Amino acid sequence: MLVGTMNDNLSADSITRGLETHFIGQRVLYYPRLTSTMEVARQEAQRGAPEGTVVIADEQTAGRGRLGRAWLTPRGNIALSLVLYPRLADLPALIMLASLAVVHSMEAVTGLKSHIKWPNDVQINARKVCGILIETGVRPDRVNYAVIGIGLNVNLRPGDFPPEIQSLATSLSQELGREVPRLTVIRSLLVEMEKLYLTLMAGGSLYEEWRDNLVTLGQRVRVKSAEGIYEGIAESVDRDGSLLLRGAHGQLTRIIAGDVTLRE
Ligand code: BTN
């Protein structure tokens, strides 16, 4: 963690006060430390918490990443989960919503340009600055709830990352050479998420902008998914968010969720 002079304390009140949203972030549950914001947000959703409820923590002791991995949240990071009750048809767009909201808010607050690595890692200069995890409770015909989890590296030095990810990860402070107030980033993120969610609810699409922000397209990649490992050229993405991979023999494989590594 960067130890600076800036007051970077969070509270539910400082996040909500005067926030220019109708529902996202109007109810915030703040914890200095907890297991995982995903856990608490899921419980909140199952109890019928208002849509837009946000659970946020300074530190997580059992943070969760995609594909069953752990996610470290040292102090200086943003770890938050948002409760939504979307329509079934809008579920695939939530990864687009979350990653675009992060791209928009980081640029608005810091001026830094970022890109999306399929499906929803956000990178600056080819290093991961933010990870997104979406968990849903679904019935065959409806969505009970969706929780969007966002882990954003804000005020971290290279040495704060475990050695094995130091060359792959970055933080806003590392990119800018100065600390960034987390409160400003969080409030901007909540405003951006609501704008994009309202676009979806009004029948709009986030697909084109998400596709155009993907760094992955046109690259030779290896994708690890639950079904196996695939190699090929990342040719395009579908409107449902899946990746279309052109293999060595010309075959096209659709991959719904996975992890991408660039191949030389
Ligand atoms: C990834 O693997 O890239 C996704 C990481 C998601 C981390 C966030 S931090 C807030 C929320 N709580 C968690 O336990 N995970 C997500």
Side-chain angles (χ1 to χ4, degrees):
M1 190 202 13
L2 255 180
V3 184
T5 48
M6 190 179 67
N7 175 359
D8 200 24
N9 292 341
L10 298 179
S11 67
D13 183 54
S14 60
I15 294 170
T16 347
R17 200 181 317 127
L19 187 69
E20 290 184 344
T21 63
H22 298 288
F23 56 102
I24 292 189
Q26 291 299 326
R27 177 169 179 259
V28 171
L29 307 176
Y30 161 74
Y31 298 83
R33 194 167 209 244
L34 91 180
T35 49
S36 161
T37 57
M38 298 308 280
E39 213 48 51
V40 176
R42 180 177 50 81
Q43 290 163 1
E44 283 292 317
Q46 286 170 336
R47 286 190 209 124
E51 183 163 49
T53 295
V54 168
V55 180
I56 185 155
D58 281 325
E59 281 178 84
Q60 297 185 113
T61 52
R64 300 208 289 262
R66 289 177 57 241
L67 307 172
R69 282 184 300 240
W71 180 264
L72 293 177
T73 311
R75 285 182 65 83
N77 266 12
I78 291 173
L80 68 80
S81 294
L82 165 68
V83 176
L84 293 175
Y85 302 110
R87 296 175 298 203
L88 196 54
D90 287 332
L91 268 192
L94 294 188
I95 57 166
M96 306 174 194
L97 178 156
S99 48
L100 285 174
V102 170
V103 169
H104 291 173
S105 57
M106 287 195 313
E107 177 158 15
V109 174
T110 66
L112 288 168
K113 296 255 187 258
S114 56
H115 291 98
I116 304 165
K117 187 176 124 185
W118 183 88
N120 54 9
D121 279 356
V122 184
Q123 298 186 326
I124 299 178
N125 296 323
R127 288 171 179 222
K128 179 162 171 171
V129 68
C130 173
I132 294 163
L133 177 68
I134 298 183
E135 294 179 346
T136 51
V138 265
R139 296 232 185 106
D141 58 332
R142 55 169 290 197
V143 181
N144 284 344
Y145 64 86
V147 174
I148 299 183
I150 297 184
L152 213 163
N153 301 330
V154 184
N155 294 319
L156 295 185
R157 292 201 180 108
D160 295 325
F161 294 109
E164 64 279 12
I165 62 165
Q166 269 172 24
S167 64
L168 306 171
T170 190
S171 68
L172 295 181
S173 61
Q174 197 175 320
E175 294 298 319
L176 287 171
R178 61 171 167 81
E179 288 182 59
V180 178
R182 287 182 303 162
L183 191 58
T184 319
V185 180
I186 292 163
R187 287 167 58 97
S188 168
L189 188 55
L190 299 177
V191 169
E192 286 303 321
M193 288 203 282
E194 184 168 291
K195 270 192 210 158
L196 297 172
Y197 192 56
L198 291 175
T199 302
L200 277 185
M201 293 208 301
S205 167
L206 308 179
Y207 165 74
E208 280 83 7
E209 192 190 352
W210 174 71
R211 180 198 59 200
D212 295 347
N213 270 280
L214 286 172
V215 277
T216 319
L217 298 187
Q219 308 261 21
R220 175 167 296 280
V221 296
R222 166 182 289 190
V223 187
K224 217 196 245 177
S225 81
E227 288 74 43
I229 294 178
Y230 303 90
E231 284 198 22
I233 307 280
E235 193 165 285
S236 60
V237 279
D238 229 332
R239 297 192 84 84
D240 69 358
S242 48
L243 179 70
L244 300 172
L245 195 70
R246 183 71 66 184
H249 306 294
Q251 76 282 17
L252 204 56
T253 308
R254 171 188 300 272
I255 303 167
I256 293 168
D259 232 15
V260 168
T261 332
L262 293 187
R263 308 292 296 156
E264 293 304 317

